[in-house]
Amino acid sequence: MRKRLFSKDMLFRQVFLVIADVLTVIAASSMALWVRFDFSVAKIEEVYLEYIWAGMVPNVLGVIVAYWFFHLYRSVWKYAGVYELQHILFAGVTATLTQLAGFAIAGFRMPRSYWFLYAGALIALTTFVRFSYRMLRRLRSQMEDKRTGENLSRVMIVGAGSAADMLIREIMQSEYLHKKIECVIDDDPELKGKTIRGYMIIGGREKIVEAARQYRIDEIIIAMPSVSKKETAEIAKICNETGCEMKLVPGMYQLINSEVSISKLKHVEIEDLLGREPVKVDLEKITGYLKDQVVLVTGGGGSIGSELCRQIAAADPKKLIIVDIYENNAYDIQQELIRKFPKLNLIVLIASVRNTNRMNAIFEEYLPNVVFHAAAHKHVPLMEDSPNEAIKNNVFGTLKTVQAAHRYGVEKFVLISTDKAVNPTNIMGASKRICEMIVQAYSRKSETDFVAVRFGNVLGSNGSVIPLFKQQIREGGPVTVTHPDIIRYFMTIPEAVSLVLEAGAFAHGGEIFVLDMGEPVKIVDLAMNLIKLSGYTPGEDIEIKYTGLRPGEKLYEERLMAEEGLAKTENDRISIAKPIEMDDEKFFESLEEMKTEVYAETGEVREMVRKIVPTYKREKRKTK
């Protein structure tokens, strides 16, 4: 039934257009003669009128055939644009030449200027008929907008380039987007006062806040996919001051592929306000050393571990083995990888890296070529309260995994470390520094390339500040910041993992790779931007409360210890820290002593850690 109704409707429109074209041919012929003879009907020679009427039927048929050939009866005219205009031009010229040939064969001689006037009139009238539907539809839409204006979202477009043009066109044409464009912003001073598809460009970014109030803007769309991340962040921060909902065109590829549309827009996230350029990695190198290899990831269900698994799976390994103690996380990443990579040879094992026999059995059975060791306790305040558990899991879990890798001939072993290992003030950071020392010590006596990768905070990871802030905002506040001056380095999880994988490609054994995390960010600025991004005013709607530094927490993290220096790699975002000399024999003896203490659950672990890591200086817990 629906198909039949649709066919009847199409047939009605085509018949209407054919009738309109017949009238257009008559009108164009008459207008051409009228103009040729100085806009006077009386001056038109009768013979020319006779020729016109004698050739009218074949002329009309020729026009209809030409218009059919150029799809003028099949186009959707409510979306008409340059493409349809070109077809009208070609069809009009073709129809005129057809008539000229017919008149020549019949011996009808018309004034030479008639043919130019006729072609112009035919094209102009056809364009008017075809585009009048679009104009009438727009007028009707504008009248409806006035009647239902209170239901429309008032939109500001930032950017007046190709992306903005595509978005404005979609908003104008769509019957389903309840949006009304109020103004356009662009920093180019030459564009101020001009229009894009009829909408005024009122000025540059300095006008955003004022215009948002003046036009009562509900939504701001940043349509500038070609500018840098830093510039996008600067504009997004200004837009964030308005309290309006913000969206943006994600990237250049959408503009290149003509995929810019309302449905492709993404909400502005806190990452967009950081202004960091995306990390570039050498994908060929990553794929090269992981392809057709057996790869094992410990802690594969965590935020870093699971992203490692995603990117490794995309590199087409021979087999991917995920080891995790927490079954829910392991199950989640297992099901995700099964859906996304149905051909992947995937093994998911529940195991603790603290279990020597279990780890040896896994390595013996699967003989991995490459190991990424991400399993760790990482929550600083929790580890301060349970230091023995931090050492058991992080230090001795790493030691047992390293020993298994050495015993069963792993080619590359990559430890995921942290900038908290540098001059640590907490037991978690100190434990990670010991892990780095284990890796470097084993690199000196093993065929395995043991390396560590050291980086800072990642956006959205388990336990990071952003999920905490979002939860606090949802609950109405307050948002808790430990100190007004505290700063941290941030990177997205996929970026950090890409660099970890590339660092693995550079590995020759013993290196500590240090990732460049970009510019540091003040946590209080992060909190304020996130509150604004959620549509609230800091200090009014949502309070920011300072709670004081937590046990073991620094105001800022460091990338290097005083003894270390940096050497460059092929990727300027990855550097190599200079190894610190150490007595391996004495180091392993100290580990055995510490093992006895922590498993005896004595309170001497911090002193044992300080002997191994002289740079460890515990921050005293403040008493109230």
Side-chain angles (χ1 to χ4, degrees):
M1 177 64 73
R2 185 176 298 171
K3 185 176 181 179
R4 187 162 64 247
L5 288 172
F6 176 76
S7 299
K8 286 182 179 180
D9 188 45
M10 285 289 295
L11 180 62
F12 172 79
R13 286 203 298 267
Q14 289 175 353
V15 169
F16 170 79
L17 288 174
V18 169
I19 294 171
D21 290 338
V22 171
L23 297 175
T24 295
V25 172
I26 296 171
S29 302
S30 304
M31 287 176 63
L33 285 175
W34 180 58
V35 174
R36 167 62 182 77
F37 288 97
D38 302 325
F39 304 97
S40 174
V41 175
K43 291 182 179 181
I44 299 175
E45 297 180 24
E46 189 173 343
V47 64
Y48 295 134
L49 292 173
E50 291 176 358
Y51 289 160
I52 291 295
W53 288 110
M56 184 60 69
V57 172
N59 185 25
V60 167
L61 292 175
V63 168
I64 292 173
V65 171
Y67 282 16
W68 184 270
F69 179 79
F70 284 99
H71 311 299
L72 299 192
Y73 297 115
R74 285 181 284 174
S75 294
V76 182
W77 290 101
K78 68 179 180 179
Y79 300 130
V82 175
Y83 178 81
E84 286 74 20
L85 194 59
Q86 288 176 342
H87 276 220
I88 291 173
L89 178 63
F90 294 146
V93 172
T94 301
T96 301
L97 293 174
T98 302
Q99 186 190 24
L100 175 61
F103 273 36
I105 293 170
F108 298 163
R109 299 182 64 82
M110 301 291 290
R112 281 175 294 182
S113 59
Y114 165 83
W115 298 109
F116 295 100
L117 295 169
Y118 171 74
L122 182 66
I123 292 169
L125 291 172
T126 302
T127 301
F128 174 78
V129 170
R130 293 306 196 274
F131 279 77
S132 61
Y133 174 71
R134 178 176 175 176
M135 289 185 289
L136 289 171
R137 181 174 172 274
R138 185 175 179 185
L139 287 172
R140 186 185 69 180
S141 176
Q142 288 176 344
M143 292 176 65
E144 289 178 353
D145 287 351
K146 288 181 180 179
R147 290 196 301 269
T148 62
E150 64 277 4
N151 298 322
L152 296 175
S153 176
R154 304 167 73 89
V155 177
M156 174 194 295
I157 304 286
V158 180
S162 299
D165 181 70
M166 294 179 193
L167 291 172
I168 293 171
R169 182 178 59 189
E170 182 183 6
I171 292 171
M172 290 169 61
Q173 293 177 349
S174 176
E175 299 175 0
Y176 307 103
L177 295 174
H178 302 292
K179 300 179 185 295
K180 181 183 179 185
I181 299 170
E182 294 291 346
C183 61
V184 180
I185 296 288
D186 196 282
D187 282 337
D188 188 346
E190 294 184 3
L191 295 180
K192 185 177 180 180
K194 296 182 179 180
T195 61
I196 174 171
R197 291 192 178 268
Y199 294 100
M200 181 69 70
I201 302 170
I202 62 173
R205 67 183 72 182
E206 73 282 352
K207 297 282 291 182
I208 290 175
V209 176
E210 177 188 342
R213 288 195 299 266
Q214 179 182 347
Y215 293 98
R216 294 181 287 120
I217 298 298
D218 302 304
E219 181 180 338
I220 299 176
I221 300 176
I222 303 174
M224 303 171 64
S226 61
V227 303
S228 67
K229 290 283 187 181
K230 183 177 181 181
E231 189 170 354
T232 300
E234 290 173 357
I235 292 172
K237 286 176 183 176
I238 296 171
C239 296
N240 205 22
E241 298 294 327
T242 67
C244 300
E245 182 182 4
M246 292 192 296
K247 295 179 182 176
L248 56 77
V249 177
M252 272 298 292
Y253 77 93
Q254 292 186 305
L255 182 59
I256 294 169
N257 296 332
S258 298
E259 294 180 357
V260 175
S261 69
I262 296 297
S263 63
K264 300 284 185 179
L265 298 179
K266 66 181 282 288
H267 284 277
V268 174
E269 299 289 348
I270 193 66
E271 293 90 334
D272 300 306
L273 300 179
L274 295 180
R276 296 180 57 261
E277 292 296 334
V279 169
K280 296 178 181 179
V281 298
D282 190 335
L283 293 176
E284 290 186 4
K285 283 192 174 182
I286 291 175
T287 303
Y289 83 97
L290 296 177
K291 184 178 174 61
D292 297 325
Q293 300 294 299
V294 178
V295 184
L296 185 147
V297 181
T298 69
S303 51
I304 297 295
S306 61
E307 182 61 25
L308 273 167
C309 293
R310 293 182 191 98
Q311 295 192 28
I312 292 167
D316 195 22
K318 179 180 180 180
K319 185 179 295 183
L320 174 58
I321 304 160
I322 298 175
V323 175
D324 203 294
I325 190 61
Y326 185 43
E327 61 181 287
N328 292 346
N329 282 351
Y331 176 79
D332 289 342
I333 188 62
Q334 178 192 49
Q335 296 307 304
E336 179 185 336
L337 294 179
I338 288 172
R339 290 193 305 271
K340 292 182 178 178
F341 303 96
K343 295 182 180 180
L344 175 66
N345 187 351
L346 178 65
I347 307 294
V348 179
L349 303 171
I350 303 302
S352 170
V353 293
R354 293 157 63 167
N355 187 326
T356 305
N357 293 336
R358 176 70 166 139
M359 295 308 295
N360 285 338
I362 290 171
F363 276 74
E364 183 178 16
E365 180 175 357
Y366 296 104
L367 296 174
N369 305 104
V370 183
V371 174
F372 292 92
H373 182 52
H377 287 327
K378 64 178 185 178
H379 292 271
V380 171
L382 291 179
M383 294 305 100
E384 287 301 288
D385 292 330
S386 303
N388 286 343
E389 294 305 307
I391 298 301
K392 290 176 189 175
N393 194 70
N394 294 2
V395 174
F396 294 108
T398 295
L399 179 60
K400 292 173 182 181
T401 309
V402 163
Q403 289 171 336
H406 168 64
R407 183 178 294 112
Y408 293 101
V410 170
E411 295 168 21
K412 288 180 184 286
F413 183 103
V414 181
L415 165 72
I416 306 302
S417 189
T418 170
D419 55 8
K420 293 178 175 61
V422 180
N423 300 324
T425 57
N426 53 71
I427 202 71
M428 194 283 284
S431 70
K432 279 294 191 177
R433 176 57 192 148
I434 298 173
C435 293
E436 291 179 352
M437 295 167 73
I438 291 171
V439 163
Q440 289 189 314
Y442 261 86
S443 72
R444 288 187 279 269
K445 68 175 185 177
S446 176
E447 294 297 318
T448 301
D449 293 334
F450 286 102
V451 299
V453 181
R454 184 189 290 168
F455 58 89
N457 298 272
V458 288
L459 293 165
S461 67
N462 295 331
S464 71
V465 294
I466 291 177
L468 173 62
F469 286 170
K470 287 181 177 180
Q471 179 64 32
Q472 290 174 335
I473 291 169
R474 282 194 296 268
E475 294 173 355
V479 171
T480 56
V481 179
T482 57
H483 193 282
D485 297 324
I486 193 168
I487 62 172
R488 289 292 181 266
Y489 294 91
F490 284 97
M491 182 178 284
T492 66
I493 295 175
E495 286 176 321
V497 166
S498 294
L499 290 177
V500 167
L501 293 177
E502 189 171 11
F506 297 148
H508 295 294
E511 300 98 337
I512 295 179
F513 293 99
V514 181
L515 304 191
D516 180 0
M517 304 291 287
E519 294 298 318
V521 177
K522 289 187 73 171
I523 299 300
V524 67
D525 291 344
L526 200 67
M528 292 179 70
N529 283 327
L530 198 54
I531 292 170
K532 292 174 184 176
L533 205 56
S534 303
Y536 301 107
T537 302
E540 295 181 14
D541 303 318
I542 302 290
E543 178 190 358
I544 294 179
K545 182 179 179 181
Y546 297 108
T547 58
L549 291 176
R550 299 174 297 179
E553 188 172 41
K554 296 180 182 180
L555 277 178
Y556 59 92
E557 299 293 354
E558 304 162 90
R559 298 172 65 208
L560 292 171
M561 290 178 283
E563 302 90 338
E564 294 177 319
L566 285 180
K568 294 185 179 296
T569 68
E570 294 175 28
N571 189 329
D572 59 6
R573 302 300 293 268
I574 305 174
S575 301
I576 302 174
K578 179 183 176 182
I580 297 174
E581 293 185 7
M582 53 183 278
D583 185 330
D584 291 351
E585 184 177 349
K586 185 177 179 181
F587 168 65
F588 285 114
E589 288 175 359
S590 298
L591 285 184
E592 285 299 317
E593 292 175 11
M594 185 165 65
K595 182 178 180 181
T596 302
E597 294 292 333
V598 296
Y599 279 96
E601 300 297 341
T602 69
E604 302 300 319
V605 64
R606 297 185 195 277
E607 289 302 318
M608 299 293 297
V609 168
R610 189 172 289 107
K611 290 178 182 178
I612 298 173
V613 185
T615 56
Y616 167 53
K617 295 179 181 178
R618 183 191 180 193
E619 294 290 329
K620 299 294 183 180
R621 184 189 297 266
K622 292 182 180 180
T623 57
K624 296 183 179 180

